[in-house]
Amino acid sequence: GQQVMQIPQYQHVQEGEDFTTYCNSSTTLSNIQWYKQRPGGHPVFLIQLVKSGEVKKQKRLTFQFGEAKKNSSLHITATQTTDVGTYFCAVVTNTGNQFYFGTGTSLTVIP
Amino acid sequence: NAGVTQTPKFQVLKTGQSMTLQCAQDMNHNSMYWYRQDPGMGLRLIYYSASEGTTDKGEVPNGYNVSRLNKREFSLRLESAAPSQTSVYFCASSEVGRVKAFFGQGTRLTVV
């Protein structure tokens, strides 16, 4: 399957600081999705990016897809305790039949 | 609207025992998936079913079997559980065409 590497594995930030997680691939991706999993919960879809250089925003969250479509990032501005959880990137195969997930970044926000 | 429902939520097995994890979705999705989640490993695809009547292996299929009983239900069976299968198992569903996946609440399985 398609491999996507995600860094960092863990991140601790003070409330109010910014946070970024990165997803990298050695091959060109047709799309990238981002999911959030709260502690003890299940992954929940956040967004999908498909175009080269695409940038999308959801309130304090900014998602980017690289120009070469080999990397993506999720940036959270001024983190809050509600942002705590693990953030995953995922790639969906061209047939749309398989979702491959990165290893995830676990975010801890210190009040 | 229940979405994706998994049972059971928790299970403890002894090595060598068998069990079936049940999954049902009420969104009329064609595709269904089973993942396992282990610390530091992310979500790894065990098996998937692109449509009713078809199943295919994912990244880590060894030790598991699946059945797509009908369009709604996709079960995962462990024939002879091993401690290495201790994990959190998630079922998911989606429409075909690179749209989002919907996940169940997960089954936390411990094999002793």
Side-chain angles (χ1 to χ4, degrees):
Chain A
Q2 294 187 306
Q3 292 204 344
V4 285
M5 304 302 295
Q6 200 171 343
I7 55 171
Q9 188 174 356
Y10 302 97
Q11 185 81 62
H12 294 228
V13 299
Q14 292 283 343
E15 189 172 15
E17 291 182 337
D18 292 357
F19 160 78
T20 305
T21 174
Y22 301 90
C23 193
N24 300 304
S25 171
S26 58
T27 60
T28 301
L29 304 171
S30 58
N31 63 88
I32 194 95
Q33 296 185 348
W34 287 93
Y35 291 76
K36 176 183 179 181
Q37 182 180 24
R38 295 184 186 275
H42 59 282
V44 175
F45 174 83
L46 294 176
I47 209 158
Q48 175 169 273
L49 306 171
V50 296
K51 298 177 183 177
S52 169
E54 190 170 13
V55 178
K56 289 188 177 180
K57 293 190 176 185
Q58 290 179 351
K59 297 183 181 178
R60 294 178 293 104
L61 278 61
T62 301
F63 304 85
Q64 292 189 320
F65 202 7
E67 294 288 343
K69 299 183 75 174
K70 290 186 175 182
N71 56 73
S72 180
S73 65
L74 158 59
H75 180 81
I76 302 178
T77 303
T79 54
Q80 300 175 358
T81 54
T82 53
D83 296 324
V84 165
T86 301
Y87 293 85
F88 292 97
C89 61
V91 175
V92 190
T93 59
N94 287 329
T95 57
N97 291 335
Q98 299 171 58
F99 291 72
Y100 289 100
F101 285 79
T103 49
T105 296
S106 175
L107 172 64
T108 299
V109 179
I110 304 163
Chain B
N1 191 339
V4 180
T5 303
Q6 287 182 237
T7 55
K9 288 186 170 52
F10 301 92
Q11 183 72 51
V12 179
L13 289 178
K14 294 182 178 178
T15 298
Q17 287 185 318
S18 62
M19 81 161 294
T20 300
L21 281 64
Q22 306 287 353
C23 176
Q25 52 92 8
D26 62 4
M27 295 173 282
N28 203 38
H29 286 164
N30 284 304
S31 299
M32 298 186 73
Y33 314 85
W34 277 105
Y35 289 89
R36 61 177 291 173
Q37 184 174 28
D38 303 291
M41 304 291 287
L43 292 153
R44 291 183 293 169
L45 182 63
I46 305 172
Y47 271 94
Y48 68 99
S49 171
S51 62
E52 185 179 355
T54 68
T55 61
D56 285 286
K57 295 178 180 179
E59 301 167 276
V60 289
N62 291 344
Y64 306 95
N65 286 302
V66 291
S67 295
R68 184 74 183 267
L69 305 169
N70 48 56
K71 191 171 186 179
R72 289 187 64 248
E73 299 173 288
F74 189 37
S75 63
L76 178 71
R77 183 162 178 84
L78 286 71
E79 290 291 352
S80 179
S84 60
Q85 293 179 305
T86 293
S87 188
V88 180
Y89 291 86
F90 286 100
C91 177
S93 72
S94 76
E95 265 306 338
V96 178
R98 287 184 279 162
V99 294
K100 60 185 175 182
F102 292 81
F103 283 81
Q105 299 295 320
T107 296
R108 190 172 297 273
L109 175 67
T110 302
V111 183
V112 298

